Amino acid sequence: MTKVINCGNLKIGGNNKITVQSMLNFNLSNNINQAIDQVKLLEANGCDIIRASIDSEEDAKAIKTLKKYTNMPIIADIQFDYKMALYAVENGIDAIRINPCYIGSEDNVKKVIEACKDKNIPIRVGVNSGSVKKEFLDKYNGVNQFSLVESALEQVKLVEKYNYDNIVISIKATNVKLTYDANIELKKRTDYPIHLGITESGSDEDGIIKTSMGLGSLILLGIGDTIRVSLTEDPVREVIIGRKILQYLGLRPYGIDVISCPTCGRTKVDLINIVKDVKKAVAPIKKDIKIAIMGCAVNGPGEAREADIGFASGNGEALLFKKGEIIRKVNEEEIIKVLLEEIEKIN
Ligand code: SF4
């Protein structure tokens, strides 16, 4: 089991729920109003932790303003300048994400660690496939799970050297299999909480498939304490995908799960559009239930036995069923109305 660390009002690691993170794509000092709107939207969609790039003292000062609008812990993303980390700590940040090897002399690293230690702020360290040190590339013959893990653990050792162990580690690659192998190797060698992600995964299906495969397979092995879906898309979509990954692994509820059949030669209705309409209608409902929309009465109710409630459509009528048992017939045009009424009755 991993160590538990405190990140603002949340606990990461151990038996705590896996948290979902995202990153603001507005600059805090230049676009604070957009950043505030985005933070609210992300939180409303189930984001647990937010990260923001801190590239100036003004960005760091804006953390205080942002905090007025959210309960989520905020992580400062620091690139090369250690002073940005110090400013962020001064302005009430909840965690810091740095690559200690990128922020210059050890003395600078020490200053950041001491500042975090003073306020018990966690530090996320780690590498991605593009930032492995040459020393480890030479030693392990390129980018692989061993060079990635050595690189990450070198950063951990540097933080530990100053008697600090409030650490989260991440190892991300663009390649799914490499991310998988590296995190398995990492887990063997550390008990710090692990942040999972597939870096630069792309957009749409590409990014969603890579992320779901990489994160899903690791989480099923019990690896991963906090996740970020990195898509070239609106961060809100990252959060929705992240939450759905956890929902479909049975780890965290995230509203109604709509299951539906793939359609076949027996389908007599426009099931594709019916399902789209149903999903739209039930989207705001927060209940943790499964509903099934099936294309025929012969196989539909039986195949969707695991659903709490469902419809099997065909020939102008639909059969309403609950847990595989047919309850009654409904006019096909009334499917959504009846479904919403029935969902209302479920506690
Ligand atoms: S539920 Fe009926 S319509 Fe849908 S795929 Fe199965 S057999 Fe075909």
Side-chain angles (χ1 to χ4, degrees):
M1 183 159 331
T2 52
K3 237 170 92 70
V4 177
I5 63 128
N6 292 306
C7 180
N9 53 6
L10 286 179
K11 289 188 186 306
I12 299 176
N15 280 329
N16 291 292
K17 65 183 180 191
I18 298 175
T19 45
V20 175
Q21 310 195 8
S22 187
M23 192 162 173
L24 297 181
N25 57 12
F26 289 105
N27 173 273
L28 290 195
S29 48
N30 296 336
N31 304 96
I32 188 65
N33 291 332
Q34 286 101 320
I36 290 168
D37 289 346
Q38 193 168 53
V39 125
K40 288 183 189 163
L41 207 54
L42 288 165
E43 196 164 11
N45 278 279
C47 188
D48 299 304
I49 300 170
I50 193 70
R51 185 152 51 108
S53 13
I54 303 298
D55 293 329
S56 66
E57 194 174 355
E58 289 67 39
D59 289 351
K61 283 181 179 156
I63 293 165
K64 281 189 174 150
T65 313
L66 195 63
K67 277 191 152 260
K68 289 184 195 149
Y69 297 90
T70 180
N71 290 316
M72 289 187 286
I74 305 173
I75 303 176
D77 192 87
I78 308 297
Q79 271 193 328
F80 301 105
D81 189 349
Y82 78 100
K83 285 196 211 97
M84 299 306 138
L86 302 182
Y87 293 144
V89 171
E90 263 170 47
N91 284 284
I93 204 74
D94 297 293
I96 296 278
R97 189 269 179 269
I98 50 164
N99 179 336
C101 303
Y102 280 172
I103 60 172
S105 73
E106 193 170 320
D107 202 40
N108 293 347
V109 178
K110 187 179 167 207
K111 282 180 191 150
V112 174
I113 298 169
E114 296 293 349
C116 289
K117 201 168 157 184
D118 230 32
K119 297 197 175 172
N120 204 25
I121 291 171
I123 302 177
R124 179 186 137 204
V125 296
V127 282
N128 63 39
S129 42
S131 67
V132 182
K133 273 172 81 175
K134 190 174 178 306
E135 173 194 344
F136 297 116
L137 294 176
D138 293 344
K139 187 171 170 195
Y140 294 101
N141 288 320
V143 180
N144 51 44
Q145 68 266 44
F146 304 109
S147 54
L148 281 163
V149 171
E150 279 298 322
S151 226
L153 292 181
E154 184 199 40
Q155 297 176 21
V156 171
K157 278 181 208 138
L158 187 54
V159 179
E160 287 176 335
K161 184 174 166 187
Y162 295 98
N163 299 314
Y164 201 48
D165 62 357
N166 204 349
I167 298 169
V168 174
I169 310 177
S170 71
I171 296 184
K172 300 184 181 185
T174 50
N175 179 294
V176 174
K177 179 72 165 60
L178 181 56
T179 306
Y180 178 79
D181 290 339
N183 279 282
I184 290 176
E185 183 64 22
L186 177 66
K187 178 79 175 181
K188 285 186 207 156
R189 299 181 54 184
T190 183
D191 62 358
Y192 286 115
I194 295 177
H195 167 118
L196 290 183
I198 303 290
T199 193
E200 294 129 24
S201 70
S203 64
D204 302 317
E205 288 94 340
D206 306 318
I208 295 168
I209 293 168
K210 286 183 217 169
T211 306
S212 305
M213 288 194 297
L215 273 53
S217 55
L218 285 162
I219 293 169
L220 285 172
L221 293 174
I223 299 171
D225 302 282
T226 180
I227 62 172
R228 188 215 171 169
V229 174
S230 304
L231 294 178
T232 318
E233 291 192 40
D234 187 330
V236 171
R237 195 147 148 83
E238 294 187 348
V239 169
I240 293 170
I241 306 295
R243 288 300 300 256
K244 288 193 176 201
I245 289 173
L246 298 178
Q247 178 185 22
Y248 301 148
L249 292 173
L251 297 173
R252 288 184 70 180
Y254 191 60
I256 294 181
D257 181 4
V258 179
I259 59 173
S260 53
C261 81
T263 73
C264 71
R266 297 179 197 96
T267 320
K268 304 264 186 312
V269 291
D270 179 8
L271 199 71
I272 296 173
N273 278 312
I274 292 176
V275 169
K276 277 186 189 156
D277 292 344
V278 168
K279 285 177 87 165
K280 214 178 190 177
V282 302
I285 304 173
K286 296 288 173 219
K287 290 185 179 172
D288 181 25
I289 56 171
K290 201 172 265 188
I291 64 177
I293 309 296
M294 308 298 279
C296 77
V298 185
N299 295 349
E303 282 183 18
R305 200 169 288 278
E306 60 176 305
D308 297 285
I309 186 170
F311 274 105
S313 301
N315 291 332
E317 280 184 331
L319 296 176
L320 170 70
F321 58 87
K322 287 184 178 173
K323 302 277 183 194
E325 299 298 324
I326 295 167
I327 306 295
R328 64 186 157 101
K329 282 185 184 172
V330 176
N331 187 318
E332 227 157 52
E333 278 142 28
E334 292 185 323
I335 290 181
I336 293 183
K337 182 177 152 276
V338 174
L339 201 56
L340 293 175
E341 286 166 5
E342 292 294 331
I343 291 170
E344 181 73 29
K345 291 183 204 159
I346 301 174
N347 290 319

Short mmCIF file of all heavy atoms in Angstrom, two decimals, residues 290-339:
data_model
loop_
_atom_site.label_atom_id
_atom_site.label_comp_id
_atom_site.label_asym_id
_atom_site.label_seq_id
_atom_site.Cartn_x
_atom_site.Cartn_y
_atom_site.Cartn_z
N LYS A 290 -27.56 2.03 -13.61
CA LYS A 290 -27.25 1.62 -14.98
C LYS A 290 -28.57 1.49 -15.74
O LYS A 290 -29.50 0.84 -15.26
CB LYS A 290 -26.57 0.26 -14.89
CG LYS A 290 -25.76 -0.11 -16.09
CD LYS A 290 -24.97 -1.38 -15.82
CE LYS A 290 -23.57 -1.08 -15.34
NZ LYS A 290 -22.73 -2.27 -15.25
N ILE A 291 -28.67 2.11 -16.90
CA ILE A 291 -29.86 1.91 -17.71
C ILE A 291 -29.47 1.32 -19.06
O ILE A 291 -28.38 1.59 -19.57
CB ILE A 291 -30.71 3.20 -17.88
CG1 ILE A 291 -29.96 4.27 -18.65
CG2 ILE A 291 -31.15 3.76 -16.54
CD1 ILE A 291 -30.82 5.50 -18.88
N ALA A 292 -30.37 0.50 -19.62
CA ALA A 292 -30.06 -0.18 -20.87
C ALA A 292 -31.07 0.21 -21.94
O ALA A 292 -32.28 0.27 -21.67
CB ALA A 292 -30.10 -1.69 -20.65
N ILE A 293 -30.57 0.48 -23.14
CA ILE A 293 -31.45 0.75 -24.26
C ILE A 293 -31.10 -0.30 -25.32
O ILE A 293 -30.01 -0.27 -25.91
CB ILE A 293 -31.23 2.18 -24.82
CG1 ILE A 293 -31.30 3.22 -23.69
CG2 ILE A 293 -32.22 2.50 -25.92
CD1 ILE A 293 -32.64 3.35 -23.01
N MET A 294 -32.03 -1.21 -25.57
CA MET A 294 -31.74 -2.35 -26.43
C MET A 294 -32.61 -2.30 -27.68
O MET A 294 -33.72 -1.76 -27.67
CB MET A 294 -31.98 -3.66 -25.66
CG MET A 294 -31.26 -3.72 -24.33
SD MET A 294 -29.46 -3.65 -24.47
CE MET A 294 -29.09 -5.35 -24.87
N GLY A 295 -32.11 -2.93 -28.74
CA GLY A 295 -32.76 -2.79 -30.04
C GLY A 295 -33.83 -3.81 -30.36
O GLY A 295 -34.48 -3.70 -31.40
N CYS A 296 -34.01 -4.84 -29.54
CA CYS A 296 -35.10 -5.77 -29.83
C CYS A 296 -35.59 -6.43 -28.55
O CYS A 296 -34.88 -6.51 -27.55
CB CYS A 296 -34.68 -6.82 -30.85
SG CYS A 296 -33.65 -8.12 -30.16
N ALA A 297 -36.82 -6.89 -28.61
CA ALA A 297 -37.46 -7.46 -27.41
C ALA A 297 -37.03 -8.90 -27.15
O ALA A 297 -37.17 -9.40 -26.05
CB ALA A 297 -38.96 -7.39 -27.57
N VAL A 298 -36.50 -9.56 -28.20
CA VAL A 298 -36.17 -10.98 -28.03
C VAL A 298 -34.96 -11.16 -27.11
O VAL A 298 -35.02 -11.83 -26.09
CB VAL A 298 -35.90 -11.65 -29.41
CG1 VAL A 298 -35.67 -13.14 -29.25
CG2 VAL A 298 -37.06 -11.38 -30.35
N ASN A 299 -33.87 -10.50 -27.49
CA ASN A 299 -32.66 -10.66 -26.68
C ASN A 299 -32.44 -9.53 -25.68
O ASN A 299 -31.73 -9.70 -24.69
CB ASN A 299 -31.41 -10.70 -27.59
CG ASN A 299 -31.43 -11.92 -28.48
OD1 ASN A 299 -32.24 -12.82 -28.30
ND2 ASN A 299 -30.54 -11.93 -29.45
N GLY A 300 -33.02 -8.36 -25.97
CA GLY A 300 -32.74 -7.15 -25.19
C GLY A 300 -32.83 -7.28 -23.68
O GLY A 300 -31.83 -7.12 -22.98
N PRO A 301 -34.01 -7.62 -23.12
CA PRO A 301 -34.14 -7.63 -21.65
C PRO A 301 -33.17 -8.61 -20.98
O PRO A 301 -32.58 -8.29 -19.96
CB PRO A 301 -35.60 -8.06 -21.44
CG PRO A 301 -36.29 -7.70 -22.70
CD PRO A 301 -35.28 -7.89 -23.79
N GLY A 302 -33.00 -9.78 -21.59
CA GLY A 302 -32.10 -10.78 -21.00
C GLY A 302 -30.65 -10.34 -21.06
O GLY A 302 -29.92 -10.45 -20.08
N GLU A 303 -30.26 -9.80 -22.22
CA GLU A 303 -28.86 -9.38 -22.38
C GLU A 303 -28.51 -8.24 -21.44
O GLU A 303 -27.35 -8.08 -21.06
CB GLU A 303 -28.59 -8.94 -23.83
CG GLU A 303 -28.42 -10.12 -24.77
CD GLU A 303 -28.07 -9.68 -26.20
OE1 GLU A 303 -27.64 -8.54 -26.39
OE2 GLU A 303 -28.26 -10.50 -27.11
N ALA A 304 -29.51 -7.42 -21.12
CA ALA A 304 -29.24 -6.25 -20.26
C ALA A 304 -29.70 -6.50 -18.82
O ALA A 304 -30.10 -5.58 -18.13
CB ALA A 304 -29.93 -5.03 -20.84
N ARG A 305 -29.63 -7.73 -18.38
CA ARG A 305 -30.10 -8.11 -17.04
C ARG A 305 -29.42 -7.31 -15.93
O ARG A 305 -29.99 -7.05 -14.88
CB ARG A 305 -29.83 -9.61 -16.84
CG ARG A 305 -30.63 -10.27 -15.76
CD ARG A 305 -30.47 -11.77 -15.83
NE ARG A 305 -31.16 -12.34 -16.99
CZ ARG A 305 -32.46 -12.62 -17.01
NH1 ARG A 305 -33.21 -12.38 -15.95
NH2 ARG A 305 -33.01 -13.14 -18.08
N GLU A 306 -28.16 -6.91 -16.16
CA GLU A 306 -27.42 -6.20 -15.11
C GLU A 306 -27.92 -4.75 -14.92
O GLU A 306 -27.58 -4.11 -13.92
CB GLU A 306 -25.93 -6.19 -15.43
CG GLU A 306 -25.65 -5.50 -16.75
CD GLU A 306 -24.17 -5.39 -17.07
OE1 GLU A 306 -23.43 -4.85 -16.25
OE2 GLU A 306 -23.78 -5.83 -18.16
N ALA A 307 -28.72 -4.26 -15.89
CA ALA A 307 -29.18 -2.87 -15.78
C ALA A 307 -30.29 -2.74 -14.74
O ALA A 307 -31.10 -3.65 -14.57
CB ALA A 307 -29.68 -2.39 -17.14
N ASP A 308 -30.32 -1.59 -14.07
CA ASP A 308 -31.39 -1.36 -13.09
C ASP A 308 -32.72 -1.20 -13.80
O ASP A 308 -33.77 -1.59 -13.31
CB ASP A 308 -31.09 -0.09 -12.29
CG ASP A 308 -29.81 -0.25 -11.49
OD1 ASP A 308 -29.86 -0.95 -10.48
OD2 ASP A 308 -28.76 0.28 -11.90
N ILE A 309 -32.66 -0.59 -14.97
CA ILE A 309 -33.88 -0.33 -15.72
C ILE A 309 -33.53 -0.23 -17.21
O ILE A 309 -32.40 0.13 -17.55
CB ILE A 309 -34.52 1.00 -15.21
CG1 ILE A 309 -35.87 1.23 -15.88
CG2 ILE A 309 -33.63 2.19 -15.40
CD1 ILE A 309 -36.64 2.36 -15.24
N GLY A 310 -34.48 -0.54 -18.09
CA GLY A 310 -34.14 -0.43 -19.50
C GLY A 310 -35.34 -0.56 -20.41
O GLY A 310 -36.46 -0.86 -19.97
N PHE A 311 -35.07 -0.33 -21.69
CA PHE A 311 -36.09 -0.48 -22.72
C PHE A 311 -35.57 -1.39 -23.83
O PHE A 311 -34.40 -1.33 -24.20
CB PHE A 311 -36.43 0.88 -23.35
CG PHE A 311 -37.47 1.62 -22.60
CD1 PHE A 311 -37.13 2.71 -21.81
CD2 PHE A 311 -38.80 1.24 -22.68
CE1 PHE A 311 -38.10 3.40 -21.12
CE2 PHE A 311 -39.78 1.93 -21.99
CZ PHE A 311 -39.43 3.01 -21.21
N ALA A 312 -36.46 -2.22 -24.36
CA ALA A 312 -36.15 -2.97 -25.58
C ALA A 312 -37.14 -2.48 -26.62
O ALA A 312 -38.37 -2.58 -26.43
CB ALA A 312 -36.32 -4.46 -25.32
N SER A 313 -36.62 -1.91 -27.70
CA SER A 313 -37.50 -1.26 -28.69
C SER A 313 -37.83 -2.15 -29.87
O SER A 313 -37.08 -3.07 -30.20
CB SER A 313 -36.82 -0.01 -29.23
OG SER A 313 -36.54 0.86 -28.17
N GLY A 314 -38.93 -1.84 -30.54
CA GLY A 314 -39.27 -2.56 -31.78
C GLY A 314 -40.71 -2.37 -32.15
O GLY A 314 -41.59 -2.37 -31.28
N ASN A 315 -40.98 -2.18 -33.46
CA ASN A 315 -42.35 -2.09 -33.98
C ASN A 315 -43.25 -1.09 -33.26
O ASN A 315 -44.40 -1.39 -32.94
CB ASN A 315 -43.01 -3.47 -33.96
CG ASN A 315 -42.36 -4.39 -34.99
OD1 ASN A 315 -41.85 -3.91 -36.01
ND2 ASN A 315 -42.36 -5.68 -34.71
N GLY A 316 -42.75 0.07 -32.98
CA GLY A 316 -43.59 1.13 -32.41
C GLY A 316 -43.80 1.03 -30.92
O GLY A 316 -44.28 1.96 -30.27
N GLU A 317 -43.45 -0.10 -30.34
CA GLU A 317 -43.63 -0.26 -28.89
C GLU A 317 -42.29 -0.60 -28.27
O GLU A 317 -41.41 -1.16 -28.91
CB GLU A 317 -44.60 -1.39 -28.60
CG GLU A 317 -46.04 -0.98 -28.76
CD GLU A 317 -46.97 -2.12 -28.37
OE1 GLU A 317 -46.58 -3.29 -28.50
OE2 GLU A 317 -48.07 -1.81 -27.93
N ALA A 318 -42.17 -0.29 -27.00
CA ALA A 318 -40.93 -0.66 -26.30
C ALA A 318 -41.32 -1.37 -25.01
O ALA A 318 -42.33 -1.04 -24.38
CB ALA A 318 -40.12 0.59 -26.00
N LEU A 319 -40.50 -2.35 -24.64
CA LEU A 319 -40.77 -3.06 -23.39
C LEU A 319 -39.92 -2.44 -22.30
O LEU A 319 -38.70 -2.34 -22.43
CB LEU A 319 -40.40 -4.54 -23.53
CG LEU A 319 -41.20 -5.36 -24.53
CD1 LEU A 319 -40.63 -6.78 -24.60
CD2 LEU A 319 -42.67 -5.41 -24.13
N LEU A 320 -40.58 -2.04 -21.23
CA LEU A 320 -39.85 -1.52 -20.07
C LEU A 320 -39.47 -2.70 -19.20
O LEU A 320 -40.32 -3.55 -18.89
CB LEU A 320 -40.76 -0.55 -19.29
CG LEU A 320 -40.24 -0.10 -17.93
CD1 LEU A 320 -39.05 0.83 -18.07
CD2 LEU A 320 -41.36 0.61 -17.15
N PHE A 321 -38.19 -2.81 -18.85
CA PHE A 321 -37.80 -3.91 -17.96
C PHE A 321 -36.92 -3.42 -16.82
O PHE A 321 -36.25 -2.38 -16.92
CB PHE A 321 -37.11 -5.04 -18.74
CG PHE A 321 -35.88 -4.61 -19.50
CD1 PHE A 321 -34.64 -4.60 -18.89
CD2 PHE A 321 -35.97 -4.24 -20.85
CE1 PHE A 321 -33.50 -4.21 -19.60
CE2 PHE A 321 -34.84 -3.86 -21.55
CZ PHE A 321 -33.60 -3.84 -20.92
N LYS A 322 -36.98 -4.17 -15.72
CA LYS A 322 -36.13 -3.85 -14.56
C LYS A 322 -35.41 -5.11 -14.17
O LYS A 322 -36.04 -6.15 -13.97
CB LYS A 322 -37.00 -3.37 -13.38
CG LYS A 322 -37.56 -1.98 -13.57
CD LYS A 322 -38.32 -1.52 -12.34
CE LYS A 322 -38.83 -0.11 -12.55
NZ LYS A 322 -39.71 0.34 -11.46
N LYS A 323 -34.09 -5.03 -14.07
CA LYS A 323 -33.25 -6.20 -13.74
C LYS A 323 -33.61 -7.41 -14.61
O LYS A 323 -33.73 -8.53 -14.11
CB LYS A 323 -33.41 -6.56 -12.25
CG LYS A 323 -33.03 -5.44 -11.29
CD LYS A 323 -31.54 -5.41 -11.06
CE LYS A 323 -31.15 -4.34 -10.05
NZ LYS A 323 -29.73 -4.05 -10.03
N GLY A 324 -33.88 -7.17 -15.89
CA GLY A 324 -34.15 -8.25 -16.82
C GLY A 324 -35.60 -8.71 -16.87
O GLY A 324 -35.99 -9.46 -17.76
N GLU A 325 -36.44 -8.25 -15.93
CA GLU A 325 -37.86 -8.67 -15.89
C GLU A 325 -38.71 -7.62 -16.60
O GLU A 325 -38.63 -6.42 -16.28
CB GLU A 325 -38.36 -8.79 -14.44
CG GLU A 325 -37.62 -9.83 -13.60
CD GLU A 325 -37.78 -11.24 -14.16
OE1 GLU A 325 -38.87 -11.54 -14.67
OE2 GLU A 325 -36.78 -11.99 -14.13
N ILE A 326 -39.55 -8.08 -17.55
CA ILE A 326 -40.39 -7.13 -18.28
C ILE A 326 -41.51 -6.62 -17.37
O ILE A 326 -42.21 -7.40 -16.71
CB ILE A 326 -40.97 -7.79 -19.55
CG1 ILE A 326 -39.79 -8.11 -20.49
CG2 ILE A 326 -41.97 -6.87 -20.25
CD1 ILE A 326 -40.12 -9.02 -21.63
N ILE A 327 -41.68 -5.30 -17.33
CA ILE A 327 -42.69 -4.69 -16.46
C ILE A 327 -43.96 -4.35 -17.25
O ILE A 327 -45.06 -4.69 -16.88
CB ILE A 327 -42.13 -3.39 -15.79
CG1 ILE A 327 -40.81 -3.69 -15.06
CG2 ILE A 327 -43.15 -2.75 -14.86
CD1 ILE A 327 -40.90 -4.62 -13.88
N ARG A 328 -43.77 -3.63 -18.37
CA ARG A 328 -44.93 -3.27 -19.20
C ARG A 328 -44.48 -2.74 -20.56
O ARG A 328 -43.29 -2.49 -20.77
CB ARG A 328 -45.80 -2.23 -18.49
CG ARG A 328 -45.14 -0.90 -18.26
CD ARG A 328 -46.04 0.01 -17.41
NE ARG A 328 -45.26 1.02 -16.73
CZ ARG A 328 -45.15 2.29 -17.13
NH1 ARG A 328 -45.79 2.70 -18.20
NH2 ARG A 328 -44.42 3.15 -16.46
N LYS A 329 -45.51 -2.57 -21.43
CA LYS A 329 -45.24 -2.01 -22.75
C LYS A 329 -45.42 -0.49 -22.71
O LYS A 329 -46.29 0.00 -21.99
CB LYS A 329 -46.23 -2.57 -23.78
CG LYS A 329 -45.88 -3.96 -24.23
CD LYS A 329 -46.85 -4.37 -25.32
CE LYS A 329 -46.58 -5.80 -25.71
NZ LYS A 329 -47.59 -6.34 -26.61
N VAL A 330 -44.63 0.21 -23.52
CA VAL A 330 -44.72 1.67 -23.57
C VAL A 330 -44.67 2.08 -25.04
O VAL A 330 -43.94 1.47 -25.83
CB VAL A 330 -43.52 2.31 -22.82
CG1 VAL A 330 -43.53 3.81 -22.95
CG2 VAL A 330 -43.50 1.89 -21.37
N ASN A 331 -45.43 3.13 -25.39
CA ASN A 331 -45.36 3.67 -26.73
C ASN A 331 -43.94 4.21 -26.95
O ASN A 331 -43.41 4.91 -26.09
CB ASN A 331 -46.40 4.80 -26.84
CG ASN A 331 -46.50 5.32 -28.24
OD1 ASN A 331 -45.50 5.49 -28.93
ND2 ASN A 331 -47.73 5.55 -28.67
N GLU A 332 -43.36 3.88 -28.10
CA GLU A 332 -41.96 4.24 -28.33
C GLU A 332 -41.66 5.73 -28.17
O GLU A 332 -40.58 6.12 -27.73
CB GLU A 332 -41.54 3.80 -29.73
CG GLU A 332 -40.22 3.08 -29.70
CD GLU A 332 -40.08 2.19 -30.92
OE1 GLU A 332 -40.28 2.68 -32.05
OE2 GLU A 332 -39.83 1.00 -30.72
N GLU A 333 -42.67 6.56 -28.51
CA GLU A 333 -42.44 8.01 -28.39
C GLU A 333 -42.32 8.46 -26.93
O GLU A 333 -41.88 9.56 -26.65
CB GLU A 333 -43.58 8.79 -29.06
CG GLU A 333 -43.37 8.88 -30.56
CD GLU A 333 -44.67 8.73 -31.33
OE1 GLU A 333 -45.73 9.10 -30.77
OE2 GLU A 333 -44.61 8.25 -32.47
N GLU A 334 -42.76 7.60 -26.04
CA GLU A 334 -42.76 8.02 -24.62
C GLU A 334 -41.57 7.46 -23.84
O GLU A 334 -41.50 7.62 -22.63
CB GLU A 334 -44.05 7.52 -23.96
CG GLU A 334 -45.28 8.23 -24.48
CD GLU A 334 -46.52 7.80 -23.71
OE1 GLU A 334 -46.63 6.61 -23.34
OE2 GLU A 334 -47.35 8.67 -23.48
N ILE A 335 -40.66 6.82 -24.55
CA ILE A 335 -39.54 6.16 -23.85
C ILE A 335 -38.84 7.10 -22.85
O ILE A 335 -38.69 6.78 -21.68
CB ILE A 335 -38.48 5.62 -24.86
CG1 ILE A 335 -39.06 4.43 -25.62
CG2 ILE A 335 -37.21 5.20 -24.15
CD1 ILE A 335 -38.10 3.82 -26.62
N ILE A 336 -38.44 8.28 -23.34
CA ILE A 336 -37.65 9.16 -22.48
C ILE A 336 -38.47 9.65 -21.29
O ILE A 336 -37.99 9.64 -20.14
CB ILE A 336 -37.07 10.34 -23.29
CG1 ILE A 336 -36.04 9.75 -24.26
CG2 ILE A 336 -36.43 11.38 -22.38
CD1 ILE A 336 -35.29 10.71 -25.11
N LYS A 337 -39.72 10.00 -21.54
CA LYS A 337 -40.59 10.50 -20.46
C LYS A 337 -40.74 9.41 -19.39
O LYS A 337 -40.55 9.66 -18.19
CB LYS A 337 -41.96 10.86 -21.06
CG LYS A 337 -42.94 11.43 -20.08
CD LYS A 337 -44.24 11.84 -20.80
CE LYS A 337 -45.43 11.76 -19.89
NZ LYS A 337 -46.04 10.44 -19.77
N VAL A 338 -41.04 8.19 -19.83
CA VAL A 338 -41.25 7.09 -18.87
C VAL A 338 -39.94 6.77 -18.13
O VAL A 338 -39.93 6.56 -16.93
CB VAL A 338 -41.79 5.83 -19.60
CG1 VAL A 338 -41.86 4.64 -18.66
CG2 VAL A 338 -43.15 6.13 -20.20
N LEU A 339 -38.86 6.79 -18.89
CA LEU A 339 -37.56 6.49 -18.29
C LEU A 339 -37.24 7.47 -17.16
O LEU A 339 -36.83 7.08 -16.06
CB LEU A 339 -36.49 6.57 -19.38
CG LEU A 339 -35.18 5.87 -19.16
CD1 LEU A 339 -35.38 4.39 -18.87
CD2 LEU A 339 -34.31 6.02 -20.40
#
